[in-house]
């Protein structure tokens, strides 16, 4: 039994931004960006909202619109979703949640919804918690059946995990150290609990304190004062708040490479598998050099890793879901294959899950 991925989708905004275009607004160049990051272009949302991107990826994952991947024939009914989890840092509204907005847009009338704030680990945290909840629900139902009563908790058999990001709105477009790295987009999977099949074989999530503020972004609303502070004569905007994403590049690089190895090894060990059992690694895409580092450490050719950062940049929690989608659509992953998804990000968060397709 297990949580099986039965659909996958992605959505990218229309506008492509090249490295040369960035070179026109900050002191950088294609020659600097490509060897250090592997990024050639990224997609930036001009008109598309987070909800637009998330809903499009979700509808593709459900097979309601063209362009997604379905494990089995036939579209999935949005009303069959029990839960929508949306990992995001850039929801269009504080509330309703981004998940609730996507629910409304796609007609998932029976789904309970919430957002998840775990930065670039959103893909792994989303899939892992969906799996935990479905396993808990299956246990609850089995107990209920044995006792001849109804379930005591929500019945969750089908979950949409949809990560949607417009990081272009968190980025300081005058900061060349960060603005070159990020892009906008969404990735989605539909997971279903199956009694007779395996899906998520293992998962591992971890957090560590970001005491040195290596990856940080204040909430813009924290700039607002209340009228109650001593000496405050009215509601004023605080001017000491930085609303942009900040990153200590080298420290994050160090954390990321270590986390990639640690989490991959832990998730594989939990699944009772080794690196050789993995058909394709679909990691978070923060920097191609981080993926190359992992490949070298594991003594694997780069072909065993799905690399999409060249054309999308870092799309936070959506990155690895987009990578998984592209691998499925390209036929690099087929029924019975094993994928390993590892991610790391602000929090500091990190994790990995092993997926049987
Ligand atoms: N163009 C040109 N020069 C740049 C630049 C840019 N876009 N960004 C930084 N530089 C400069 C710096 O100012 C610095 O100049 P100095 O030596 O005169 O001070 C120099 O390049 C080296 O900067 P550094 O930060 O040491 O570069 P780096 O080799 O570490 O590469 C990153 C920077 C961001 C690409 C790299 O650190 C990285 O990928 N870190 C991890 C990022 C990540 O994973 N983030 C997301 C986690 S989810």
């Amino acid at each position: 039994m297990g949580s099986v991925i039965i659909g996958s989708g992605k959505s990218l905004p229309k506008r492509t931004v090249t490295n040369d275009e960035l070179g026109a607004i900050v002191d950088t160049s294609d020659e600097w960006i490509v060897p250090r990051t592997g990024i050639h272009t990224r997609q930036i949302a001009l008109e598309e909202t987070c909800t637009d991107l998330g809903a499009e990826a979700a509808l593709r994952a459900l097979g309601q619109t063209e362009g997604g991947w379905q494990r089995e024939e036939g579209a999935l009914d949005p009303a069959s979703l029990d839960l929508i989890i949306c990992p995001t840092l850039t929801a269009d509204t504080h509330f309703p949640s981004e998940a609730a907005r996507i629910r409304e847009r796609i007609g998932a009338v029976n789904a309970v919804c919430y957002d998840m704030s775990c930065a670039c680990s959103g893909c792994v945290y989303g899939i892992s918690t969906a799996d935990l909840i479905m396993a808990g629900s299956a246990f609850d139902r089995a107990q209920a059946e044995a006792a001849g009563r109804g379930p005591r908790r929500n019945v969750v058999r089908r979950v949409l995990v949809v990560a949607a990001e417009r990081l272009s709105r968190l980025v300081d477009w005058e900061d060349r150290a960060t603005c070159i790295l990020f892009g906008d987009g969404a990735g989605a999977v539909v997971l279903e609990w199956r009694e007779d099949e395996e899906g998520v074989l293992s998962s591992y999530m971890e957090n560590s304190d970001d005491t040195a503020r290596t990856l940080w972004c204040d909430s813009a609303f924290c700039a607002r004062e209340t009228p109650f502070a001593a000496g405050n004569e009215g509601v004023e905007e605080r001017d000491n708040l930085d609303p942009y994403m900040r990153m200590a590049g080298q420290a994050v690089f160090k954390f990321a490479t270590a986390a990639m190895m640690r989490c991959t090894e832990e998730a594989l060990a939990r699944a009772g598998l080794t690196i050789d059992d993995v058909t394709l690694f679909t990691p978070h895409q923060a920097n191609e050099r981080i993926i190359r580092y992992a490949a070298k450490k594991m003594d694997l050719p780069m072909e065993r890793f799905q690399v999409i950062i060249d054309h999308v940049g870092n799309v936070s929690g959506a990155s690895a879901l987009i990578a998984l989608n592209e691998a499925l659509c390209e036929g690099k992953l087929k029924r019975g294959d094993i994928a390993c998804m590892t991610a790391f990000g602000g929090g500091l968060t990190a994790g990995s899950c092993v997926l049987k397709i």
Side-chain angles (χ1 to χ4, degrees):
M1 65 183 77
S3 309
V4 179
I5 293 179
I6 57 170
S8 154
K10 72 164 183 183
S11 170
L12 294 170
K14 287 188 213 69
R15 175 71 154 87
T16 304
V17 173
T18 65
N19 292 340
D20 287 341
E21 283 183 275
L22 292 175
I25 57 170
V26 288
D27 183 13
T28 191
S29 63
D30 190 55
E31 292 69 36
W32 194 94
I33 297 170
V34 173
R36 280 179 186 76
T37 68
I39 303 169
H40 292 259
T41 58
R42 72 286 292 144
Q43 304 301 120
I44 298 295
L46 301 185
E47 283 142 28
E48 300 92 342
T49 63
C50 220
T51 310
D52 293 334
L53 296 168
E56 185 169 54
L59 289 171
R60 286 182 174 152
L62 290 161
Q64 291 288 331
T65 54
E66 298 270 297
W69 173 88
Q70 268 69 49
R71 192 169 190 266
E72 288 122 17
E73 293 253 317
L76 305 165
D77 182 359
S80 68
L81 293 170
D82 300 309
L83 172 66
I84 301 177
I85 302 174
C86 180
T88 184
L89 299 171
T90 54
D92 293 329
T93 47
H94 279 301
F95 56 86
S97 66
E98 194 51 63
R101 289 167 62 98
I102 293 169
R103 173 196 199 267
E104 183 183 351
R105 189 74 75 79
I106 67 174
V109 291
N110 295 306
V112 172
C113 309
Y114 54 84
D115 290 355
M116 196 179 239
S117 173
C118 47
C120 301
S121 303
C123 48
V124 170
Y125 276 43
I127 289 175
S128 303
T129 51
D131 175 51
L132 279 169
I133 290 168
M134 283 198 285
S137 174
F139 177 73
D140 187 46
R141 278 179 279 130
Q143 277 199 320
E145 199 181 314
R149 55 165 172 77
R152 291 193 167 146
R153 298 163 181 89
N154 281 25
V155 172
V156 184
R157 286 199 197 90
R158 199 176 262 187
V159 182
L160 170 70
V161 176
V162 51
E165 291 292 8
R166 283 202 307 169
L167 294 165
S168 57
R169 302 311 196 271
L170 284 189
V171 157
D172 176 358
W173 289 101
E174 292 179 355
D175 176 11
R176 66 179 182 174
T178 52
C179 75
I180 58 155
L181 295 172
F182 297 95
D184 299 331
V189 284
V190 180
L191 293 138
E192 181 169 82
W193 185 260
R194 300 256 169 109
E195 291 296 333
D196 53 350
E197 287 191 273
E198 288 184 303
V200 179
L201 298 181
S202 70
S203 66
Y204 169 68
M205 295 179 277
E206 63 168 42
N207 259 74
S208 49
D209 298 335
D210 191 7
T211 38
R213 290 193 169 214
T214 53
L215 264 171
W216 204 272
C217 185
D218 286 319
S219 289
F221 71 82
C222 291
R224 296 196 201 127
E225 272 296 0
T226 66
F228 308 110
N232 190 6
E233 286 164 16
V235 180
E236 289 169 10
E237 294 284 311
R238 268 167 49 191
D239 56 9
N240 61 347
L241 190 120
D242 177 2
Y244 297 113
M245 171 196 313
R246 299 295 173 205
M247 184 182 74
Q250 288 198 359
V252 173
F253 195 91
K254 238 171 127 179
F255 154 70
T257 45
M260 264 284 269
M261 297 309 302
R262 187 173 62 246
C263 297
T264 301
E265 280 163 14
E266 181 62 33
L268 284 171
R270 287 181 180 193
L273 298 176
T274 69
I275 286 166
D276 295 334
D277 297 312
V278 178
T279 317
L280 192 70
F281 292 86
T282 56
H284 172 48
Q285 315 270 318
N287 186 326
E288 194 188 277
R289 271 163 54 213
I290 295 172
I291 302 174
R292 284 194 182 280
Y293 173 92
K296 200 169 162 208
K297 278 264 173 194
M298 292 187 219
D299 199 19
L300 291 175
M302 279 297 277
E303 292 70 49
R304 296 274 296 281
F305 292 77
Q306 182 73 1
V307 179
I308 61 161
I309 191 166
D310 56 324
H311 59 282
V312 298
N314 180 346
V315 197
S316 190
S319 277
L321 292 173
I322 298 171
L324 178 71
N325 177 261
E326 294 196 2
L328 290 165
C329 291
E330 288 165 15
K332 288 187 192 167
L333 284 170
K334 301 186 192 67
R335 284 276 288 266
D337 284 347
I338 305 289
C340 179
M341 183 184 284
T342 304
F344 46 83
L348 297 165
T349 56
S352 182
C353 48
V354 180
L355 312 165
K356 187 164 183 179
I357 303 301

